[in-house]
Every structure is written in structure tokens, then in C-alpha cells.
Amino acid sequence: MDKIAFLFPGQGSQRVGMGLDLLRRWPGLTEKYYRRADEVLGFELSRLCWQGPAQELRQMPVTQPAVVLTSVVAHEVLHAHGVVPDIVAGHSLGEFSALVCAGVLDWVDALRLVRLRGELMMAANQRVPGKMAAVVGLDLATVEEMCAKAAAASGEVVEVANHNDFTQVVVSGQTAAVDALAGLVWQAGADRVVMLEIGGAAHCTLLGGVEDEFAAALEDVEFRDPVIPVVSSFSAAPVASGADARDCLLRQFTGRVNWTGTALRLAAEGAGRLVEVGPGKVLGGLCRRITPGVTAYRTDSEEQTALTLAGLAG
């Protein structure tokens, strides 16, 4: 269990000011990444990352490239200090960052794809309003049962979106159905139900109407075979090729994120040192609950990055 795994966070990990302290320490990254991102996307993503406002940063077409860009920059810092992963994985949106790290995707292509991904998700939510909620304290089978009951009672869609650990399950769907689900899981003994500030529903069949457009965009981008092993958070299995990576990204658009299975697979591959690369600090904690005994590191600040570099030295 001495292998190093890089974990890349997804939507929800964003915060105003993310990446800024790393740039104060390594200012050369500003021009290389942030100014280039502003040029590619046609708006000041750098300003929104560093200054906000938070409400605008939470918009999915902004959030998604912001999180990927911050993760790419944090990875560059680790790489410059000789920290190279043995295996990588990303939670939902974070899979794009993981594929950049593994040499499958160019980071500029990844930014363009996740910008479109966010636009499509926001458009779907405007047509059929939805939301997401995290259920803590119940197992997957119980939440699946409650989803079926809530969908039947409301006549709307509510589905499991993320299996984050053994007792943390995220649901996604139409507003009334998610609200109905929240009431049912409280009755079933949930410890907590947290409505997530995502800006709509993700990883559910409500996105099926825009899936074809995203599939076409994926086909227009070069996907190379991984040079570092990748575990898909959709399949919880190794990504065998560039074509497999493209398929996983498409299938996760409407499919469930299996982070529990992903963490178990990383442990089975011998990854005991886990580095969350980017603005997040949740994935390491989830993995410690799923596979006790692993060591988790972070890069969400200059201080945490320095501790990570020191901890992994040698």
C-alpha cells in the first residue's frame, strides 16, 4: 500500500480565491495556465476563480472549468517537485482532470469540454428544474428503495447520483421528487440530509436530452491511451484506452458516480498514499472511511501543498 494515487475533485469543491495562494508562490503559472484559459474560453475565468463573486462562480459553465483549471495548476506544482502518481482517479467532473494528468486529454481540450458540459447541464435544468441532496447515515440499498417510493409518490424523477461511501449517498432529480425523498430518508433513520448548491441535477436521466450534443463534442477531441493508470469513477474499473476514457465520460453524464467502488479499486491496486489535487478536501476523507489505513494529503492551499510535498519526499 505504498503507491501514490492522485484524486481530482469535482463540482462543489470550488471557492472564491482558489489557486491564488499557489500562484503567489509560483507566479509563472499565471501566464501559462490562467491567462491561456481566459483566452480559450473568452471570459475572465481567472478573475472569477480569484475574486468571485461566489454566485457567478457557482454557475455550472464557470464552476466546471474553474475546478479543472485549479486542479491542473496544482498538479503542475506537484509534478515540478517530482511527485508523480502511480494511479489517478477523479470524482465526476474530476475525471477530466485525472485524464489530463494521465496524458489522455490536453488540458485546453478538457477546459472546452467541461465548459460545454456545464452549459448543457444548466440548459437541462432550466427546462426541467432539479437539484441534488446528500443523504448521510443510510446504505445504498435503502436510499435506492426510498428513491423508488419518492418517484412513485411525486410522479417525478429522483435517482442515486453518487455512491460516495458506505453511508453517504447523493440523489439527483426533479425538485419535488428530491424534497419527497428527503422526507422519506428522515423517516428511515438518516443522520443528515444536505441540499447541495450545485445549480441543478447531475448524473441522472434528466440529462438524457442533451447527451447527444456532448457525445458529438467528445468525438471531436483527441483521446490518447493513458500513460498513467486511471480508474474511472463511473465504472470503478481501469480505463483501458482513449476510446474507453471517452465512453466513460459520456456514460457518467447521466450515470451514477461509484466513488465507493473507485476507492476500493485504488486500495486493491496498492494505493495507500492519496493526494487530493485541486481545490477540494473531501475525497481523502471519503477514502479513509472506505479503506481505513490510507494516508490522505491535500493541495487546496500553499500550506497544505507544502505539507504534502514534505510528506511525500523521498
Side-chain angles (χ1 to χ4, degrees), residues 205-221:
T205 53
L206 293 178
L207 298 180
V210 294
E211 194 173 28
D212 288 348
E213 186 173 347
F214 192 59
L218 290 171
E219 288 297 330
D220 286 340
V221 171

Side-chain angles (χ1 to χ4, degrees), residues 144-300:
E144 286 178 325
E145 180 184 352
M146 297 300 103
C147 282
K149 289 182 178 180
S154 65
E156 294 189 350
V157 171
V158 59
E159 300 165 355
V160 170
N162 305 343
H163 186 205
N164 280 341
D165 69 23
F166 296 121
T167 59
Q168 185 187 123
V169 180
V170 174
V171 300
S172 179
Q174 289 167 272
T175 302
V178 174
D179 289 341
L181 181 281
L184 289 172
V185 296
W186 277 122
Q187 295 172 23
D191 295 330
R192 282 188 295 150
V193 181
V194 181
M195 296 297 167
L196 303 181
E197 293 187 2
I198 299 297
H203 302 296
C204 73
T205 53
L206 293 178
L207 298 180
V210 294
E211 194 173 28
D212 288 348
E213 186 173 347
F214 192 59
L218 290 171
E219 288 297 330
D220 286 340
V221 171
E222 181 185 7
F223 281 75
R224 299 174 289 272
D225 293 343
V227 297
I228 297 170
V230 183
V231 176
S232 168
S233 65
F234 170 78
S235 64
V239 174
S241 65
D244 188 20
R246 182 187 284 113
D247 183 61
C248 286
L249 291 181
L250 178 60
R251 293 172 71 192
Q252 67 146 259
F253 199 67
T254 55
R256 179 182 303 179
V257 173
N258 183 3
W259 189 251
T260 302
T262 299
L264 291 170
R265 184 66 189 230
L266 292 171
E269 296 290 337
R273 294 182 290 171
L274 313 179
V275 184
E276 190 159 357
V277 184
K281 55 183 180 180
V282 170
L283 299 183
L286 293 175
C287 288
R288 284 197 302 268
R289 292 197 290 274
I290 298 164
T291 54
V294 299
T295 303
Y297 300 91
R298 290 159 40 194
T299 60
D300 56 315

